[in-house]
Amino acid sequence: MNKYEFLHKFHLHPLTAAISSSPVDSGGVIKESAVLVALVEINNALHVVLTKRASHLRHHPGQISFPGGKVEEHDPNIIATALREAQEEIGLAADSVAILGQLPEYRTLTGFTITPVIALLSQSQHYIIDQNEVAQVFHVPLQHFVDQRNHIIITVERQMRKHPIYYMPYNEHNIWGATAAILKDLCENLR
C-alpha cells in the first residue's frame, strides 16, 4: 500500500472503536500517553516506524513500541505529546511529520490510556536514538500488518476477566500487546 492508497482509505473510512482492555485498578489514576504511529514510504510502499525499548527501562524493557510516552503538563495537546516524545526518543523533527489524525484511545491493563497519532513522514529519516530509552529503530511494511494471517490473538484471564492479547511477529521482532492492538485498529480502519 502506498501513501495515496493509505490516505484514500484512512480519510474515507469512519474510525471504529479502539480494541481496548479495561485498565486494572491502579489506585484510581489513569496515566495518559500518546504514541506516534509514523509511516514512511520506501520503494512505493508504506512502512511503520517502530522502536525496540532499551533493556534497562523499568517499564516494558526490550519490547517493541511506537515512539511516545506520557502526557506532560506543558504539552498543549495529545499531538504535541506524540511529537515531543518522537523527537526525544528518535530525533524525529516535527517539520518532517504530517499529522493525518488519530485513532480512538486504547486502555491498557496496566492503567495507561494511549492515544495513537497517525502521521506520514516526508521522507526516510536519519534517526538520532536516545539510548537511555531506545535500543533500535526499524521499519516494517504496513502490508505485513494489513495481512490478517500475521495476527495472533491469545486470551488471558486477569482479575476474573478475559482479555485479548495481540501478537504480530515480524522477523526477529515479537510485536505484541498495546502496539499490536493499535496496529490492528489501524488496519481495521483501512478495510
Side-chain angles (χ1 to χ4, degrees), residues 24-67:
V24 170
D25 183 8
S26 56
V29 177
I30 299 295
K31 297 161 261 189
E32 288 187 78
S33 62
V35 295
L36 189 70
V37 181
L39 305 168
V40 62
E41 193 168 46
I42 302 170
N43 297 326
N44 203 35
L46 284 178
H47 288 69
V48 180
V49 177
L50 292 169
T51 64
K52 181 176 182 180
R53 293 173 55 83
S55 61
H56 67 268
L57 291 174
R58 183 175 172 212
H59 298 288
H60 314 293
Q63 290 185 8
I64 306 304
S65 64
F66 299 105

Side-chain angles (χ1 to χ4, degrees), residues 1-15 39 46 100 120 142 189-191:
M1 176 179 302
N2 66 32
K3 68 180 174 182
Y4 301 108
E5 294 166 328
F6 178 86
L7 288 169
H8 177 75
K9 290 181 178 188
F10 183 74
H11 286 300
L12 292 182
H13 193 287
L15 294 178
L39 305 168
L46 284 178
L100 301 178
L120 274 176
L142 177 61
N189 286 295
L190 297 175
R191 290 189 178 29

Side-chain angles (χ1 to χ4, degrees), residues 72-85:
E72 300 289 346
E73 285 184 29
H74 62 271
D75 291 335
N77 56 49
I78 208 80
I79 292 171
T81 299
L83 290 173
R84 177 184 51 74
E85 288 284 342

Side-chain angles (χ1 to χ4, degrees), residues 95-144:
D95 62 0
S96 68
V97 177
I99 301 297
L100 301 178
Q102 63 191 56
L103 294 176
E105 64 185 29
Y106 176 83
R107 292 180 178 227
T108 70
L109 293 173
T110 54
F112 284 89
T113 298
I114 304 169
T115 301
V117 176
I118 312 301
L120 274 176
L121 302 185
S122 57
Q123 61 189 10
S124 190
Q125 303 289 310
H126 171 74
Y127 302 108
I128 302 168
I129 297 173
D130 176 351
Q131 294 184 353
N132 287 323
E133 296 191 55
V134 175
Q136 178 185 9
V137 177
F138 62 98
H139 299 150
V140 178
L142 177 61
Q143 192 59 44
H144 174 77

